[in-house]
Amino acid sequence: MYFNGSLTLKGAGVRVLLMSSSGKKLRYALQLHFRATNNVAEYKALLHSIWAAIELGTRCLFIRGDYDLVINQVMKESAYRDMRMEAYSVEVQKLEYKFYSIELHHVLRWDNEDADFLTRLASSRKPL
């Protein structure tokens, strides 16, 4: 699974790419209709990705994102400067029990291009 969130002058958006072990892909993008920071958009992307995986019955989840702050906070390798980020991280951690295994990994931005495109589309405020 790949996730990405984005904040632009026009708005905030979230993208999710779920990929099965057989290579089938499910992509979706969401527009956030509230004031959000880039950190909030990234956490929302991660949460929506996990919720989608749960709904699809996924039992083992390998998560990739290009925003290392969120990954590091969820993995408890980085401190929180904002209580809202801690609350989002706790929400992610609460969902871990839904899976046999779950791993989070940071990837370079160019390795997350599918997600990046969808995120730019979602944050543009154009109809999806």
Side-chain angles (χ1 to χ4, degrees), residues 112-128:
N112 204 12
E113 286 181 20
D114 253 357
D116 225 24
F117 169 75
L118 289 172
T119 305
R120 285 192 306 274
L121 179 65
S123 62
S124 72
R125 291 286 185 233
K126 294 178 182 175
L128 299 177

Side-chain angles (χ1 to χ4, degrees), residues 39-47 70 73-74 80 85 88-89:
N39 291 348
V40 168
E42 290 286 344
Y43 266 110
K44 285 292 191 181
L46 177 57
L47 283 166
V70 169
Q73 286 179 343
V74 171
Y80 306 100
M85 298 308 105
Y88 280 121
S89 182

Side-chain angles (χ1 to χ4, degrees), residues 66-84:
D66 62 14
Y67 201 63
D68 57 347
L69 176 69
V70 169
I71 300 287
N72 289 339
Q73 286 179 343
V74 171
M75 299 300 292
K76 300 178 184 173
E77 296 171 0
S78 184
Y80 306 100
R81 293 187 180 161
D82 183 334
M83 295 305 291
R84 290 177 297 172

Side-chain angles (χ1 to χ4, degrees), residues 27-45:
R27 297 177 177 100
Y28 72 91
L30 302 161
Q31 294 175 338
L32 301 179
H33 294 280
F34 59 88
R35 290 180 59 105
T37 64
N38 195 58
N39 291 348
V40 168
E42 290 286 344
Y43 266 110
K44 285 292 191 181

